[in-house]
Amino acid sequence: MKLVYKDKVINLVECRSFFSRFKGFMGQKKINKALLFKKCNSIHTFFMKEHIDVIFCDDDNIIMYYYKDLSPNRIIWPRRGATKVYELPVNYFNVQLYSKLEVRE
C-alpha cells in the first residue's frame, strides 16, 4: 500500500495484529515508511528511538489532528472524531488540517 498526500508518496504498512500494533516504530532507527493503525484515536511514543509525525484522521481520511516532530516518551490522549492514526518519518508531508489523505493499493 501507498500513502499519498498531494503528489508525495510513501510506502504504508497497516498494523493489524496485536504485536504489530504494540510494536509500531519502537526501537527503530531511520524510519522510511508510514504505519496505519485503524480503530485508533490515541498513541504513545515510549521506547522509540526517533521523532515521528503523527496524523489522526476520521473514517473518510480527513486530517483531524497533526503532530509534527513528536519526540519519544510522549502520550497523545484520545482525540475526538479520530478513527485512524498514521505514523510517518519527520517532515515527510507538510499537511493541512481538514485536507484528505489517499491510500492506494
Side-chain angles (χ1 to χ4, degrees):
M1 287 193 307
K2 306 280 185 193
L3 182 62
V4 181
Y5 183 74
K6 297 191 177 176
D7 290 330
K8 203 161 185 186
V9 179
I10 189 169
N11 288 326
L12 177 65
V13 175
E14 183 178 348
C15 296
R16 294 180 185 173
S17 70
F18 172 80
F19 181 74
S20 67
R21 290 175 68 92
F22 176 75
K23 186 172 187 287
F25 283 134
M26 283 195 300
Q28 290 188 21
K29 292 185 178 181
K30 298 184 181 177
I31 297 168
N32 61 357
K33 63 185 173 191
L35 299 180
L36 167 59
F37 300 88
K38 289 184 177 177
K39 296 183 182 177
C40 181
N41 66 357
S42 66
I43 62 141
H44 70 82
T45 59
F46 298 131
F47 310 109
M48 293 183 63
K49 303 278 185 195
E50 300 287 327
H51 290 220
I52 59 172
D53 285 352
V54 179
I55 301 171
F56 288 80
C57 292
D58 66 8
D59 286 329
D60 297 321
N61 259 4
I62 304 298
I63 299 167
M64 308 291 291
Y65 305 92
Y66 177 46
Y67 295 87
K68 191 173 182 145
D69 199 16
L70 191 62
S71 62
N73 302 313
R74 299 281 313 272
I75 296 174
I76 303 299
W77 298 104
R79 296 287 145 208
R80 184 180 304 247
T83 59
K84 56 184 94 166
V85 176
Y86 295 93
E87 295 183 357
L88 305 125
V90 172
N91 297 323
Y92 195 84
F93 293 138
N94 187 20
V95 301
Q96 293 181 326
L97 292 179
Y98 308 111
S99 58
K100 187 170 184 169
L101 289 174
E102 180 183 350
V103 174
R104 295 184 188 159
E105 298 296 322

